[in-house]
Amino acid sequence: MSVHVIGAGLAGLAAACQLTELGHDVVVFEAAPHAGGRARSYFDKQLGCRIDNGNHLLLSGNISALSYLHRVGARRSLLGPAEPIFPFRDARTGERWTLRLNQGSFPWWVLARARRVPGTLVYQYLALRNLKHAKPDDTVARLFGGSGNLYSKLLKPLAISALNTMPEEASATALQAVFAETIERGGYATLPRWARIGLSEAFIDPAIDWLRAHGAEIHFSERVTALQPGQATVIATPPWVAAELLPGLTVPTEFESICNIHFKYQMPPGEAGFWGITSGISEWVFARPEVISVTISAANRYLDIAPDDMVRRVWAELVKLFELEADIPPHRVLWERRATLRTTPAQMALRPNTRTSIPNVVLAGDWTNTGLPATIEGAIRSGNAAAMALMKPNGKSL
Ligand SMILES: Cc1cc2nc3c(=O)[nH]c(=O)nc-3n(C[C@H](O)[C@H](O)[C@H](O)COP(=O)(O)OP(=O)(O)OC[C@H]3O[C@@H](n4cnc5c(N)ncnc54)[C@H](O)[C@@H]3O)c2cc1C
């Protein structure tokens, strides 16, 4: 069968790989001159090095992402500590701690004071079970009361980074979906991972090479504006493009931004290579070989701050937290305005299923109804699901 895939982000690439492996003739159309969509690397002339459009953190429980890397021969392209550790620093008090999960599935780490969140008691972790009973309209803050050390030092940073939405608005069921596949399964599913060299080197370039080596066609700078009648197609574009291609399709309509600031500065990686930051503007800090990269998720709340001001504030935070030189080094601000959908209960309800009203046209993308938040894992899983749905035209919808 001949299949067209529209969009060469991770969802489109995953669908293309799956379909190619199943022996279909795949043609990928990508509007940009390069693949990767919201997960890509490029050479930044001002900084004189390659950077990612944004730091992307995965966990070892992201099995679809890991299988995808395995398929395209890039399973060694991720990096991260051997243990499930998450070092944190608080921007207001300077307090430092490291969350140290244990490898197995029984969470005995909560019993050891030095491993858990400072200022928390063992019994308070029982509240995490509330997630299992979350209802579709529950928010993270409402479910956990929105105060206390467990909330402010663990649940809030997790919700902001995994859901890219402030916990007062973020869907608790979406957080549960992440918990169920990582923390609940134990430390071995919660090892932090990121691209060793860059996102393109890990997730994109190997997939393009693999697809071409297996006979798929890839056309760059080809924006698709209409579907070809009768043609089996995977629409793997952003939601607003999918709604243009398929009038009447219901899609999420609200988005959150993510701001990444890359500073040309070398800093020792510490025991994990990254830190979570609480009570500040920065959310995650990565010590990469040539740059310090700072991620600020759910960044719509900062949209009225000028980028230069943001740089000043973030650098001042880093100087204080990591004892760096006061002069601001060369830097690049990358502010992705529509980084992900807003993971609110209302927006979650607008996510469409894989199948559409046209039998041989299916949807893929992190914004479809994957059950997961808009992440690499969700995007890849949606691509796999789209490929399988085309294989079973009369099957049940996801
Ligand atoms: C700054 C940032 C940080 C992030 N951090 C993380 C993280 O830490 N962990 C994590 O798991 N996820 C993270 N994400 C989310 C992750 O990047 C996305 O979930 C994933 O890349 C989405 O892939 P996709 O294929 O669904 O969509 P996209 O990447 O948006 O791909 C859609 C593709 O369709 C193409 N296209 C659009 N219109 C047309 C057309 N008419 N014809 C042809 N092609 C078209 C686009 O050019 C694009 O390449 C982050 C995202 C951003 C932006």
Side-chain angles (χ1 to χ4, degrees), residues 17-200:
C17 288
Q18 182 94 336
L19 289 159
T20 301
E21 193 157 88
L22 290 169
H24 300 288
D25 297 327
V26 172
V27 186
V28 181
F29 298 95
E30 167 55 52
H34 51 76
R38 281 172 281 151
R40 62 187 188 283
S41 318
Y42 74 98
F43 183 81
D44 189 289
K45 282 192 191 144
Q46 191 176 317
L47 300 184
C49 61
R50 268 178 86 75
I51 54 174
D52 289 340
N53 68 315
N55 298 306
H56 279 60
L57 189 67
L58 292 101
L59 295 171
S60 47
N62 294 156
I63 46 173
S64 306
L66 297 182
S67 318
Y68 164 91
L69 290 176
H70 191 79
R71 172 181 277 160
V72 301
R75 72 191 164 96
R76 294 192 188 282
S77 63
L78 300 185
L79 182 73
E83 299 291 321
I85 54 171
F86 294 82
F88 278 93
R89 295 189 179 189
D90 188 273
R92 195 161 35 81
T93 61
E95 187 182 15
R96 300 174 180 197
W97 71 95
T98 299
L99 205 63
R100 293 181 189 278
L101 280 65
N102 53 288
Q103 291 277 7
S105 55
F106 184 76
W108 61 261
W109 61 276
V110 302
L111 304 176
R113 187 185 298 200
R115 285 175 169 263
R116 61 180 188 246
V117 176
T120 58
L121 299 168
V122 178
Y123 79 87
Q124 292 171 329
Y125 288 78
L126 293 174
L128 295 180
R129 291 186 309 189
N130 293 350
L131 273 177
K132 281 191 186 298
H133 309 293
K135 299 196 177 58
D137 58 348
D138 277 335
T139 64
V140 174
R142 196 182 321 141
L143 202 65
F144 292 102
S147 63
N149 282 329
L150 189 64
Y151 175 78
S152 61
K153 291 180 171 164
L154 181 64
L155 288 160
K156 186 175 174 185
L158 275 184
I160 294 176
S161 54
L163 310 183
N164 193 30
T165 302
M166 292 306 285
E168 293 76 17
E169 300 179 320
S171 153
T173 53
L175 189 62
Q176 166 58 16
V178 177
F179 258 61
E181 299 194 3
T182 55
I183 295 175
E184 255 178 58
R185 286 172 54 207
Y188 77 94
T190 319
L191 294 164
R193 291 288 176 265
W194 58 92
R196 184 183 296 277
I197 300 174
L199 283 170
S200 292

Side-chain angles (χ1 to χ4, degrees), residues 301-359:
R301 64 203 145 130
Y302 300 121
L303 280 174
D304 56 349
I305 301 180
D308 281 354
D309 203 14
M310 200 71 173
V311 169
R312 264 194 301 280
R313 291 197 200 184
V314 168
W315 187 252
E317 224 163 68
L318 298 187
V319 168
K320 190 170 143 204
L321 284 169
F322 297 96
E323 290 145 25
L324 309 181
E325 290 160 29
D327 289 346
I328 302 176
H331 52 269
R332 168 72 62 200
V333 180
L334 294 171
W335 203 319
E336 295 261 6
R337 298 296 158 132
R338 291 194 276 195
T340 68
L341 60 92
R342 287 180 72 227
T343 318
T344 61
Q347 290 297 307
M348 291 282 281
L350 296 177
R351 298 169 92 185
N353 290 334
T354 307
R355 294 180 192 283
T356 70
S357 51
I358 307 175

Side-chain angles (χ1 to χ4, degrees), residues 6-12 29-32 34-39 53-58 62 222-225 236-238 241 245 258 260 336 339-340 364-367 374-377 379 382:
I6 310 174
L10 281 166
F29 298 95
E30 167 55 52
H34 51 76
R38 281 172 281 151
N53 68 315
N55 298 306
H56 279 60
L57 189 67
L58 292 101
N62 294 156
E222 284 212 25
R223 183 174 298 279
V224 175
T225 52
T237 64
V241 179
L245 294 172
I258 298 181
N260 267 267
E336 295 261 6
T340 68
D366 64 355
W367 51 275
T375 52
I376 287 181
E377 178 69 6
S382 76

Side-chain angles (χ1 to χ4, degrees), residues 1-8 12-13 15-17 19-20 23-30 208 211-212 214-220 222 224 228 231-236 390:
M1 175 168 74
S2 143
V3 184
H4 288 182
V5 176
I6 310 174
L13 291 176
C17 288
L19 289 159
T20 301
H24 300 288
D25 297 327
V26 172
V27 186
V28 181
F29 298 95
E30 167 55 52
I208 298 291
L211 283 167
R212 286 196 166 131
H214 288 78
E217 273 178 49
I218 304 166
H219 300 276
F220 291 115
E222 284 212 25
V224 175
Q228 281 184 25
Q231 171 64 52
T233 304
V234 178
I235 301 178
L390 273 185

